[in-house]
Every structure is written in structure tokens, then in C-alpha cells.
Amino acid sequence: MIKEIIFYTFSSVLICSSLAVILFRNPVYSAVSLILSFITSGFLWLLLQAEFLAIVLILVYVGAVMVLFLFVIMMLNINNERDKSSFNSLAPFALFIGLIIAAELITLIWINSSQFNINSLSIQEPDQVSNTLALGKELFTNYILSFEIAGFILLLAIIISISLTLRTRKNVKTQIASEQISVDPSTRIKLVDLKERE
Amino acid sequence: MNNELTLITPELIIASAICLLILVNSFLTTEKRYTGLIIGSITMATCALISLIFLIETTNSSIFNNHYKIDHFSTGLKFTTYLIALFIFIGTKTNKENTKSELVLLEIFAILGVSILASSNNLLTLYLGLETLTLSMYGLVASKRSSEIATESAMKFFILGAIASAIFLYGVSFVYGLHGTLFFEELNNATINNTIEMQLALAFIICGIAFKLGAVPFHSWVPDTYQGASTSSALFISTIPKLGAFALIYRLLYEAFIANAEFWSLLILLLGLLSLILGNVIAIAQDNLRRILGYSAVGHIGFILIGLSIGSIDGAIAALAYLVIYILMTAAAFMSIEVISTEKRAVVTLADIKDLNSTHPWISLIMLFSMFSMVGIPPFIGFYAKWIILSELINSDMLSIALIGIIVSVIAAFYYLRIVWYMYFEKNELPIMKGSPNIFQKTSISLVGLSILLLGIYPSPIINFCRSIFSPFLLID
């Protein structure tokens, strides 16, 4: 009973905050609502006994991604007026398409709901080990290949973002440490004997 | 041969080549450098050799806890990929203007993605391979930073691609919810597969696949990227990723969801017909040579999808043969554009190739081979490609579809022949194209161009190769 109450409270907060993300005019408010929706979905995962994923979701998305996002929004100083007009012109069309897809999905599930029965899936009882340990064991044994490929995808993303933003300028004054160290004083300083003025 | 790491030698070599290239480039400072070309070509040649050896003495095996599969299909597709990539590297990267090593690096990443796609035996591995491929494609399109068109097309491509990946993953999440597994063998569950939810999931997945292939409702990125990207990147994007998309469609539809063949063959057929008709009709109205090639790519993808929609192994063989032949033709066309362009002036519109015959007779002859072949005029290989698809269609009682294919091919002849007309019979008012190919470019473009003609006269190597890739299934059938 208490579980249901917690579930429904958090899911209603999640739905409201997700709606707020797209309805707020101010991008900073949207970003903050997105943070709220991440935190509430983290709580929902806690209810499913996935504590590691819940903490990772909050740490990674709220702690890193959204903070970065807020920085970008504040640095770019996005013009709100223009966004509003483009949103309004596309909103009816988007709403129409969205309603069609939602109606299709709902009728499908309504007509034939037997297959979407969650209980029919064999959900394994969680082992008596912590979530982190179980995930780590799976990740580094059964899913090692996927893990390695994901590493390469990250490397690729780094290379793309560097190659798209790095601009090597000519005539830029850079320090070359090796040359600086190997300088011979005799070539740099010329001692000139000055005759004393009479 | 049974060691897991031995079996993925080509992938390991590519991965080490990537790391080596990054290291070498960070210590080099000169502008014009050929490290990318050298490392890339050596890697591709070695990998092609190794996968050829694997192809000859392959033992089908699943490795890494069934996440990865080495069979005839994967090694054959990898061999094709590496060989084509070798030609592309030698054909374009020897040009002084294309030596930026980041481009080679991104292309090698894309090839790694294709290899992973070809070998994947699990929806997770498949998706990771797909992302490796598409991410590097975004980078390739965006690499021409100074051009406004390139940046715009890269942005459009990136956003549309991200949406397509999201739709694909949404479908995959449905599949996982219904089956409780991501492994291909375990997805062949007939009781679940015939439910309406599974069809919904498949529809989402096919949307994602159609985007990656550039089939019609999802095709808008194809002409844009062909126009925006630099010629060498456009050449790459129009060839290698198509093989990856073929691997994706084959692994998913022919292996994982073969039980749903009746449902997906209808969807694939619809997508194929739409691409065939719209791609070829819109191409008529284009003035930009690259956009023409883009829309013609959409049309050819239509033919390939129609071949796949037959739903039999013979259909898949015909589709793969068509794809390999299409890659030969499009490589010849883009290489021709590449070698006559200079850094200052690239070939963009049809006006740029007016009277090309008087300045570059050999290049325009290769271009003529490619165009005639794309139309499907008999001595060239394009005729054979169309013929095998059409004969497969007739064999499986899809006569009306075959008729539509023939009619659309006749319509398409207009714009292909218009290119030839411009090259040979129009007077040139603009300054002539100054680009002159070096010896490597001449060799590779001549090899590709002549293979269009020679394989057209004697086409059995290609069809035999495609058959041998699918041979284990033929034995079962």
C-alpha cells in the first residue's frame, strides 16, 4: 500500500515536470524541470530496487549533463521571443501527430493487452548481492564486448568534437619548451665592450 | 582458430590502427601529411586478406557469450567492405587536398562500425555498431567546416539521425519487453511474434532501418549530405555505410524476425516502391549533379529493398549483388567528380561538366560507363544488377512490381543520359575544370570504371561471391 502511494506520487510529479519542460518559455526553467524529472525517475528506479542505476542517473544526468546544459543556456543567452513564435506555429501540427500516435498506441494496448502483462515475464528475484556488484559482474564478463565498443564510441565522439572545434591558427605565439631549455646563452647575449666616454 | 581473439583479428587490427593513427598524428605538425593514407591502406589491405582467409576456411562460431557471430555472411561482407575501402583510400586520399588525417580516422571508425554490424548477434551489439557508423558519418559530413551548406546538412543529418536512432531504440525496447531477451536466436518465438504489439515494434525498427538506408519517407538527408559534404566524404558516405545498413537489415529481418516475414516484407516493399518512384522522379528536376546522384541513390535503394521484400534467401542474394554493383557504379561517378575538382572549384552543377570530353576524355568515358550502367544498358553491369532483381521478382510471382521497376528505370534513363549529353554535346561557357588526377587516382578510377564494363560482360564472379556468402543457408534450404 505504501509502495503504491509513493509510486503514484512520484509518477505524477514526473509527468508534471516533464510537461513543464516543454511548456515553460524560459529555457532555464525547462532545464530545472528536467532535473526534477530526472530525480523523480531516479526515485522510481529505487522502488524497483535498482539503487545503482538510480544513483547513476542522478549523478550523471543531474550532476554533469544538466549542469553543463545550464551553463550553455546561460552563456548563449538564447532569445526567448523567437523561440516562442516558432513553437506556436508548429504546435498544432505536432499536437496532431502526437495525438494520432498516442491514440494508436492506446488502442493497440487496449484491444490486445494480454501480451503487455508485466507478470508474464520471468523477472528474476534479485540475488542477495548489491546491485553494483551484480551489474559490475555482468558488465565485465558477459557484456565485455559491448563495453569495449562503447569505449570506442566515446573515443570517436571526442575525436569528432575536437576535429570540429580545433582551429590551428598560423602566426600564433606558442612556447616550445625544448627550444627554450636548449638555448645557448652565448647566442642570446652579446657582450660589447663600450669605450669609456672621454 | 577457436580463440575468440583470433576470430576478431580484423576488428582488432582496425582498432589498433585507430589508436596508432591518433598517436602518430599528435606528434606530426606538418599540414600535408600522408600518414592517414598509409596507415589506412595498409590496415584495409591486411584486413581484407585476413577476412579472405577466414572466408575460405570459416567455421561458424558465436563468440563473446553469443554477442558476436563469425559466419560466412559477416566475413564476406567485411571482405567486401575492406576491399572497397582500400580502393576509396587510394583513389581519394592520394590527392593533396584530402590528406587531413581526421577524415581517414573517421572513415576507419565507420568501417569498424560496419564490421560490428555485420557480426552482431544481439540487438545491443547491433545498436552499438550502428552508432559507431552513424556518429562517424556525422563527423564526415560536418568536416567541411567553412562551408555553410555542409554545416547545415550536417546539422539536419545529426538531428534526423538522432530521432531515427531513438525510434529504433523504442522499437527495440518493445521487443525486449515482449521477449525478455536481446539475442537473435531467441527472438524467433512464433507465439509472440504474431501479436500486434510485435508488429508495432517492428514498424518502429523498420523506420530506423529505413532512415539509415535513406529510403523514401526518411530520405531527405541523402541529397543534402551528398551536396554538402566534401567529394571524398560524399564518396565514402555513398558506399561503405550502405553495406552496414544491408548488414543491419539482413541480421534483423532475415535472422531475428524471420517469423514475421509476412508482415515486414509488406512494409519493406512499400518503402522500396516509394523510394524507387519518388527518388527517380525527383532526380529529373535537379540541376545539381550531386543532388542528382543523391536522389539516384534513393532510387537504387528502392530496388534493393524490393529485392529484400521477396523474403527468400535468393532475394537477399540478388539485393546484395545489386548493392555491390551499385557501390561500384557510384564510386566511379564520385571518383570522376573528385579527380576533376580542385580546391578552389569543385564540381557542383551540371554546367560544370559541360564539354568535359574535350578536357578530360578518359574521365568522361568512365563517367559515361557509370551513367550507362546506372540506367541498365546491356554491356554494363548495371543491366545485370537490374536483371537479377527483376528475375527474382518474376520467379516469386510479383510481376506487377517488376513492371513498375522497368517503367521507372526507363524514366530514370532521362536524367542519367542528360549527364552524358552535357559531357559530350554541350558547349562550355565556364572556365574549364583544372583538376588532374595523379597516377594512383588514375589507376583506381580506371580499375573501378573498367570493372563496370568487364564484370558486365562476365558477371558470374559477383553473383558467385554473393551466393557463397549465403551458402550455409542454401545448404539448410
Side-chain angles (χ1 to χ4, degrees):
Chain A
M1 186 61 200
I2 189 100
K3 245 183 159 180
E4 269 85 27
I5 292 171
I6 296 173
F7 175 77
Y8 283 112
T9 323
F10 279 117
S11 19
S12 47
V13 173
L14 176 60
I15 291 170
C16 291
S17 58
S18 313
L19 275 176
V21 174
I22 53 170
L23 291 178
F24 268 128
R25 292 269 183 261
N26 190 330
V28 179
Y29 291 172
S30 300
V32 175
S33 340
L34 194 56
I35 292 178
L36 181 63
S37 61
F38 280 138
I39 292 175
T40 38
S41 41
F43 281 130
L44 289 185
W45 279 1
L46 273 183
L47 277 183
L48 292 172
Q49 303 184 345
E51 73 273 3
F52 179 74
L53 286 179
I55 291 166
V56 163
L57 182 80
I58 292 173
L59 276 183
V60 172
Y61 279 91
V62 179
V65 176
M66 288 316 294
V67 170
L68 204 68
F69 214 77
L70 278 174
F71 267 120
V72 172
I73 291 172
M74 287 170 180
M75 281 166 90
L76 287 181
N77 194 15
I78 294 165
N79 187 359
N80 292 336
E81 291 305 311
R82 234 179 54 196
D83 290 348
K84 208 190 288 180
S85 62
S86 71
F87 179 73
N88 283 343
S89 68
L90 285 176
F93 183 64
L95 206 65
F96 177 66
I97 300 281
L99 278 180
I100 287 180
I101 294 175
E104 280 177 344
L105 285 178
I106 290 168
T107 40
L108 271 181
I109 297 166
W110 209 271
I111 292 169
N112 196 342
S113 60
S114 61
Q115 294 296 329
F116 273 110
N117 191 356
I118 303 281
N119 296 329
S120 69
L121 287 178
S122 59
I123 297 173
Q124 287 171 346
E125 276 297 305
D127 296 333
Q128 291 307 309
V129 292
S130 78
N131 219 280
T132 323
L133 183 69
L135 257 177
K137 267 186 180 165
E138 277 291 298
L139 201 59
F140 291 105
T141 54
N142 285 337
Y143 289 85
I144 184 68
L145 187 76
S146 314
F147 185 75
E148 296 291 340
I149 298 171
F152 262 90
I153 292 179
L154 285 180
L155 178 66
L156 173 62
I158 294 170
I159 288 166
I160 291 178
S161 52
I162 291 175
S163 75
L164 288 184
T165 49
L166 179 73
R167 280 167 205 275
T168 43
R169 288 181 300 170
K170 278 160 195 161
N171 308 325
V172 78
K173 304 230 176 342
T174 48
Q175 280 190 311
I176 303 171
S178 58
E179 282 187 20
Q180 286 178 329
I181 293 166
S182 62
V183 154
D184 182 14
S186 63
T187 62
R188 291 299 166 102
I189 301 171
K190 196 173 175 188
L191 293 174
V192 183
D193 276 336
L194 286 179
K195 277 180 187 162
E196 222 172 294
R197 196 175 277 176
E198 288 165 4
Chain B
M1 282 295 284
N2 295 321
N3 190 342
E4 290 187 346
L5 289 179
T6 336
L7 285 169
I8 59 161
T9 324
E11 285 87 340
L12 286 179
I13 291 176
I14 294 175
S16 351
I18 288 169
C19 300
L20 184 70
L21 201 53
I22 295 172
L23 277 178
V24 169
N25 279 328
S26 53
F27 287 106
L28 283 183
T29 46
T30 46
E31 281 284 306
K32 303 270 192 236
R33 51 205 179 189
Y34 291 99
T35 44
L37 166 75
I38 295 164
I39 295 179
S41 317
I42 293 174
T43 314
M44 286 310 125
T46 328
C47 291
L49 204 65
I50 291 172
S51 33
L52 187 65
I53 296 168
F54 278 6
L55 191 63
I56 293 166
E57 47 181 272
T58 273
T59 48
N60 288 353
S61 49
S62 306
I63 48 178
F64 289 104
N65 293 302
N66 215 2
H67 281 75
Y68 215 64
K69 186 152 72 181
I70 306 293
D71 56 5
H72 272 89
F73 176 76
S74 69
T75 34
L77 207 72
K78 279 180 210 168
F79 172 69
T80 323
T81 311
Y82 302 146
L83 205 63
I84 293 169
L86 181 65
F87 270 104
I88 290 175
F89 282 160
I90 294 174
T92 61
K93 303 295 171 206
T94 45
N95 189 348
K96 274 193 189 128
E97 286 141 27
N98 291 328
T99 47
K100 255 180 89 182
S101 337
E102 291 94 49
L103 290 183
V104 185
L105 197 56
L106 291 181
E107 287 171 6
I108 298 178
F109 260 115
I111 292 160
L112 180 67
V114 174
S115 316
I116 295 167
L117 268 178
S119 281
S120 58
N121 196 21
N122 174 308
L123 280 169
L124 185 68
T125 325
L126 186 86
Y127 177 70
L128 287 170
L130 189 64
E131 275 310 284
T132 320
L133 175 62
T134 39
L135 255 181
S136 42
M137 279 164 76
Y138 304 145
L140 278 174
V141 178
S143 63
K144 211 170 124 195
R145 294 184 302 199
S146 50
S147 148
E148 207 173 299
I149 306 172
T151 318
E152 189 197 323
S153 63
M155 202 63 212
K156 280 182 189 164
F157 183 30
F158 178 67
I159 291 173
L160 289 176
I163 294 173
S165 290
I167 292 175
F168 180 81
L169 277 184
Y170 192 46
V172 170
S173 75
F174 269 49
V175 172
Y176 186 64
L178 291 168
H179 289 267
T181 178
L182 289 172
F183 292 97
F184 287 165
E185 294 94 0
E186 296 165 32
L187 292 177
N188 267 325
N189 182 337
T191 51
I192 299 177
N193 273 338
N194 289 324
T195 59
I196 201 152
E197 293 89 343
M198 194 54 216
Q199 296 183 348
L200 186 74
L202 257 180
F204 279 121
I205 288 176
I206 287 176
C207 283
I209 297 175
F211 177 84
K212 303 296 169 201
L213 272 171
V216 146
F218 313 95
H219 68 291
S220 56
W221 63 272
V222 180
D224 275 355
T225 46
Y226 281 26
Q227 187 187 5
S230 63
T231 321
S232 63
S233 306
L235 168 60
F236 189 85
I237 289 168
S238 62
T239 49
I240 303 284
K242 300 273 190 279
L243 282 168
F246 184 85
L248 173 72
I249 204 166
Y250 175 78
R251 286 282 184 216
L252 273 181
L253 299 185
Y254 275 77
E255 288 192 354
F257 301 119
I258 191 69
N260 285 49
E262 273 179 37
F263 174 72
W264 59 250
S265 64
L266 188 69
L267 280 186
I268 295 288
L269 182 65
L270 265 176
L271 286 171
L273 278 178
L274 275 175
S275 323
L276 185 65
I277 296 169
L278 280 179
N280 282 318
V281 169
I282 298 173
I284 293 174
Q286 302 297 320
D287 236 4
N288 187 313
L289 186 57
R290 288 148 179 259
R291 288 190 81 84
I292 290 179
L293 286 176
Y295 280 111
S296 105
V298 175
H300 286 292
I301 286 297
F303 246 109
I304 292 165
L305 283 177
I306 288 175
L308 282 168
S309 76
I310 296 170
S312 66
I313 290 299
D314 285 332
I317 293 171
L320 182 64
Y322 194 104
L323 181 65
V324 173
I325 291 167
Y326 162 72
I327 285 173
L328 274 180
M329 301 188 290
T330 194
F334 267 111
M335 276 183 182
S336 312
I337 295 179
E338 160 81 24
V339 295
I340 57 173
S341 305
T342 52
E343 197 166 5
K344 290 192 184 111
R345 179 152 166 255
V347 172
V348 182
T349 59
L350 282 174
D352 286 325
I353 57 160
K354 273 183 184 173
D355 201 20
L356 191 68
N357 183 37
S358 61
T359 51
H360 299 84
W362 180 238
I363 303 296
S364 44
L365 190 68
I366 303 271
M367 191 77 171
L368 174 117
F369 281 2
S370 164
M371 291 302 129
F372 275 9
S373 177
M374 286 203 196
V375 179
I377 291 174
F380 300 100
I381 187 137
F383 166 74
Y384 185 70
K386 286 204 164 60
W387 184 71
I388 44 176
I389 294 269
L390 292 175
S391 66
E392 280 309 324
L393 282 173
I394 292 166
N395 280 347
S396 49
D397 293 332
M398 293 158 91
L399 197 62
S400 50
I401 311 287
L403 275 177
I404 294 175
I406 293 169
I407 292 168
V408 174
S409 306
V410 174
I411 296 173
F414 168 74
Y415 64 86
Y416 290 125
L417 295 182
R418 193 161 72 132
I419 294 174
V420 176
W421 172 267
Y422 269 77
M423 284 191 305
Y424 281 88
F425 302 113
E426 284 275 333
K427 278 277 172 295
N428 189 11
E429 293 110 27
L430 296 165
I432 52 167
M433 299 304 300
K434 290 219 179 71
S436 61
N438 59 35
I439 181 75
F440 293 107
Q441 286 179 306
K442 266 183 199 155
T443 319
S444 59
I445 196 173
S446 309
L447 273 176
V448 174
L450 287 177
S451 71
I452 293 176
L453 181 63
L454 296 178
L455 285 173
I457 297 166
Y458 183 65
S460 52
I462 280 198
I463 191 73
N464 282 344
F465 176 70
C466 293
R467 253 205 199 109
S468 75
I469 285 179
F470 291 99
S471 61
F473 299 99
L474 286 182
L475 291 179
I476 293 167
D477 283 353

